[in-house]
Amino acid sequence: MRIDRLPVPTPTTAPTGTTNAYVADDVLVDPAARSDALDSAAADASHVAVTHTHPDHVGALAAYAGSRTVWALSGHEDRLREATGIEPDRRFSEGDSIAGLTVLETPGHAPDHVAFAAGDAVLCGDLAMAESSVFVGGEGADMGAYLDSLRRLRERDLDLLFPGHGEPIEAPAERLDWLIDHRLGRERRVLRAVEAGDRTVEGIRDAAYEKDLSGVEALASATVRAHLEKLAEEGRIGWNGERARPV
């Protein structure tokens, strides 16, 4: 399968400042913004699908829908409607195929997040980036589900990842291992902060991060909150949404 990557400038928190749209044979994936290059590459595509419905991945879906078949994850059609104003034509679920792309349900970064497998390559959306870690926090985020999705992808014998932002990842196993270790390392620091007496998100954040957070305090706080929610679900801390405590 031929897969063309077309970065388009978008309002995104990703450090690249762009989102990757892809044309995989007959399928346009993540039309984040319109460009002449994407117009040309997608001219013959019959289907359009997205890895998830965050604004920096669906910004031009309405512009590219036209006569193409628009797909949405079953059970999350409302998120596509709300994000784009478009009614999906068809639904997909785990294991379904769209013109040769196999759907993998990979929630965590967003509840409706999916990846698309093409042989030994995967269009992985915001599961992974080559340049940095991925933000997991805010409405609908689930840190436990995100880690499970990373592990699930790690179990596959992959040659290449095509991420939603940045360059292709040519050593998927190593990158996925790094992302898992990075998240678990942050989780350990969050847990240690709670055990040491920090109770608020801000206090735990300041103890858990070992770098200057100027300009990204809100993102770091949301990430810490996602870790706290995961730890609470596992019974490892107490958490009432405002204050944490050891158990």
Side-chain angles (χ1 to χ4, degrees):
M1 173 177 286
R2 175 173 174 170
I3 299 175
D4 293 325
R5 180 177 69 95
L6 298 109
V8 291
T10 52
T12 177
T13 58
T16 61
T18 61
T19 297
N20 292 324
Y22 291 95
V23 178
D25 281 355
D26 200 29
V27 187
L28 169 60
V29 177
D30 284 357
R34 194 160 190 180
S35 73
D36 290 343
L38 188 55
D39 285 354
S40 177
D44 296 325
S46 302
H47 304 269
V48 59
V50 297
T51 58
H52 60 297
T53 52
H54 284 168
D56 60 335
H57 288 256
V58 301
L61 188 143
Y64 285 106
S67 60
R68 297 181 176 93
T69 300
V70 176
W71 293 78
L73 178 61
S74 181
H76 294 275
E77 299 90 344
D78 57 330
R79 290 179 66 90
L80 186 77
R81 294 187 198 100
E82 291 168 6
T84 68
I86 297 296
E87 179 72 28
D89 301 301
R90 298 187 64 179
R91 284 76 174 157
F92 55 62
S93 298
E94 172 72 25
D96 287 344
S97 178
I98 306 173
L101 292 177
T102 301
V103 176
L104 307 174
E105 294 192 30
T106 52
H109 176 74
D112 59 344
H113 197 288
V114 301
F116 299 104
D120 295 332
V122 169
L123 281 67
C124 68
D126 281 355
L127 267 178
M129 287 177 57
E131 294 81 4
S132 69
S133 60
V134 171
F135 172 63
V136 181
E139 185 272 327
D142 186 318
M143 189 65 74
Y146 175 70
L147 280 162
D148 287 343
S149 293
L150 287 177
R151 293 184 182 110
R152 182 178 179 211
L153 212 59
R154 176 65 178 86
E155 291 171 357
R156 301 175 71 94
D157 186 18
L158 299 174
D159 291 333
L160 194 61
L161 293 178
F162 290 104
H165 306 277
E167 297 292 322
I169 299 169
E170 297 181 350
E174 290 85 347
R175 188 59 185 166
L176 292 167
D177 283 342
W178 184 89
L179 288 165
I180 293 166
D181 290 346
H182 174 75
R183 289 294 175 188
L184 293 178
R186 179 81 64 217
E187 179 179 285
R188 287 190 292 271
R189 291 192 290 275
V190 167
L191 181 58
R192 283 200 299 268
V194 174
E195 292 172 341
D198 288 299
R199 296 290 176 260
T200 65
V201 169
E202 292 75 15
I204 296 165
R205 177 199 68 199
D206 292 344
Y209 278 83
E210 301 169 344
K211 61 182 180 180
D212 181 10
L213 295 174
S214 299
V216 294
E217 295 95 337
L219 295 178
S221 292
T223 299
V224 165
R225 186 176 290 275
H227 278 295
L228 292 169
E229 290 168 354
K230 174 181 180 291
L231 289 166
E233 287 172 5
E234 295 170 350
R236 299 166 68 189
I237 64 166
W239 170 245
N240 65 7
E242 296 295 332
R243 296 182 66 81
R245 59 175 175 79
V247 295

